[in-house]
Amino acid sequence: MNTIIYTIIAALIIGFILGLLLGLFKKIFAVKIDPKIQEIRDVLSGGNCGGCGYAGCDSFAAAVVAGEAPVNGCIAGGAGCAEAIARILGVEAGSSEKKVAFLACHGTKECAASKAIYEGVQTCKAAQLTMNGTKKCAFGCIGLGDCVAACPFGALSMNSSGLPEVNREKCVGCGKCAKECPKKLFKIISAETKGSIAVCSSHSDNKPQIRKDCSAGCFKCGLCAKKCPEQCINIASGIPEVDYSKCTSCGECVKACPDKVLIILG
C-alpha cells in the first residue's frame, strides 16, 4: 500500500517538474510572430486557393509582412482585401484587377463525337491517362468535372450539355480550375476584357478530321482574320488570338465564322 502511495507522489512530483521545464523551454525557445501576420490572415479570403502563388493563406500573410509578396496579391480577396492589408501595413494598396476563368471549348456532347463509353474512374485526369480523353477531339473538354471539384468558391457547375459553366459573380480567378484541367482549357482573363475570344482550343491542322471530331471546332478557314477591319486577329497558332488593344468589339469576326467559334465579351 505504501509503495503505491509513494509511486503516485513521485509521479506527481516528476510531472510537476517536467511541466515547469516545458514552460521554461517554451519561453526560451519561443519564436516571435509578428502580430500583423495574424491581422492580415484574418482579412484574407480563407480559400487557400493558391492563386497568390503561395501554399495557402498563412504562407501568403507571412510573405506580405516579410515584403516578399505584394499587398494586392490575394486574387480571391480582390480590391477590398488589398485595401485592408494596406491599412494594416500602412502602405498603398495599388491596383487590384478582378479576374475570371474562361473555358476555351464549346464542344458539347451534342456536337463533339465520343470515342467510346468510358467506364473507368470518373475523373478527367483518369480518362486522360487511360484513353487521352473521352472525345475524338484530342483538345476537347472531357466533361467529368475535375474543375468543378477543385473550385473552392463554388463558381463552377456542369451544365446539361456536358461542359462546365463559370459563374462570373462567384469566380475570383484563382486559377485552380486551370491547374486541374488536364486539357488546359481554362484561361484566366481580366473580368473587364472586351472583344472577341475563341471558344475552341483545337490546334489541329487536319481540316477533314476536325469536322468529323467536332462540328463546333475551329476549321482554320481564316475568315475571322480576313474580315476583321482592325486586323487584330492572329491565327498563326491555329486558334484565333485577339489583340485587345485594337479590338473594337465590332463583331465582324463573329459574323464571318462558320463554326461560331468566336464570341464577344463585355
Side-chain angles (χ1 to χ4, degrees), residues 34 36-37 40 54 59-70 89:
D34 192 323
K36 289 182 179 178
I37 294 177
I40 291 173
Y54 290 85
S59 298
F60 173 70
V64 171
V65 173
E68 298 169 358
L89 297 178

Side-chain angles (χ1 to χ4, degrees), residues 4-265:
I4 295 174
I5 294 173
Y6 294 150
T7 301
I8 293 173
I9 293 173
L12 290 173
I13 293 172
I14 292 172
F16 178 74
I17 294 172
L18 288 175
L20 289 175
L21 291 174
L22 286 173
L24 181 62
F25 291 153
K26 183 178 179 180
K27 287 185 178 180
I28 294 173
F29 297 106
V31 177
K32 292 184 178 179
I33 299 176
D34 192 323
K36 289 182 179 178
I37 294 177
Q38 186 57 49
E39 289 182 54
I40 291 173
R41 178 64 182 84
D42 291 340
V43 301
L44 296 178
S45 69
N48 288 312
C49 61
C52 58
Y54 290 85
C57 295
D58 290 336
S59 298
F60 173 70
V64 171
V65 173
E68 298 169 358
V71 170
N72 58 0
C74 180
I75 296 174
C81 178
E83 290 170 4
I85 294 173
R87 284 195 296 271
I88 293 169
L89 297 178
V91 297
E92 292 294 324
S95 62
S96 184
E97 183 182 43
K98 177 175 170 55
K99 295 187 177 183
V100 294
F102 175 81
L103 179 70
C105 177
H106 68 158
T108 64
K109 60 185 179 183
E110 289 81 18
C111 60
S114 297
K115 289 181 178 179
I117 297 174
Y118 175 68
E119 296 182 344
V121 177
Q122 295 297 299
T123 66
C124 297
K125 284 185 177 179
Q128 175 69 10
L129 286 171
T130 55
M131 53 190 291
N132 193 31
T134 56
K135 295 173 180 174
K136 289 185 178 180
C137 174
F139 303 90
C141 174
I142 297 171
L144 294 177
D146 288 17
C147 53
V148 176
C151 179
F153 302 100
L156 283 166
S157 60
M158 298 301 296
N159 64 25
S160 59
S161 294
L163 293 177
E165 282 188 0
V166 180
N167 183 323
R168 290 171 68 93
E169 295 301 317
K170 293 182 178 180
C171 182
V172 299
C174 70
K176 271 206 167 182
C177 54
K179 293 175 184 175
E180 201 68 22
C181 178
K183 296 291 187 180
K184 305 304 177 187
L185 296 177
F186 282 97
K187 298 178 180 179
I188 305 302
I189 62 175
S190 168
E192 301 302 319
T193 299
K194 297 184 187 302
S196 62
I197 191 168
V199 285
C200 179
S201 294
S202 174
H203 293 276
S204 172
D205 58 2
N206 188 339
K207 293 183 180 181
Q209 193 61 46
I210 291 171
R211 282 282 190 247
K212 291 179 182 178
D213 293 344
C214 182
S215 61
C218 179
F219 193 58
K220 324 303 178 196
C221 65
L223 284 174
C224 54
K226 293 174 185 175
K227 295 292 184 179
C228 176
E230 306 300 330
Q231 298 296 297
C232 65
I233 299 178
N234 185 345
I235 56 172
S237 68
I239 294 296
E241 294 180 353
V242 179
D243 181 346
Y244 292 108
S245 67
K246 297 179 180 179
C247 183
T248 61
S249 300
C250 68
E252 290 301 315
C253 57
V254 176
K255 295 175 186 176
C257 180
D259 299 311
K260 306 304 176 188
V261 168
L262 290 158
I263 63 172
I264 299 292
L265 293 176

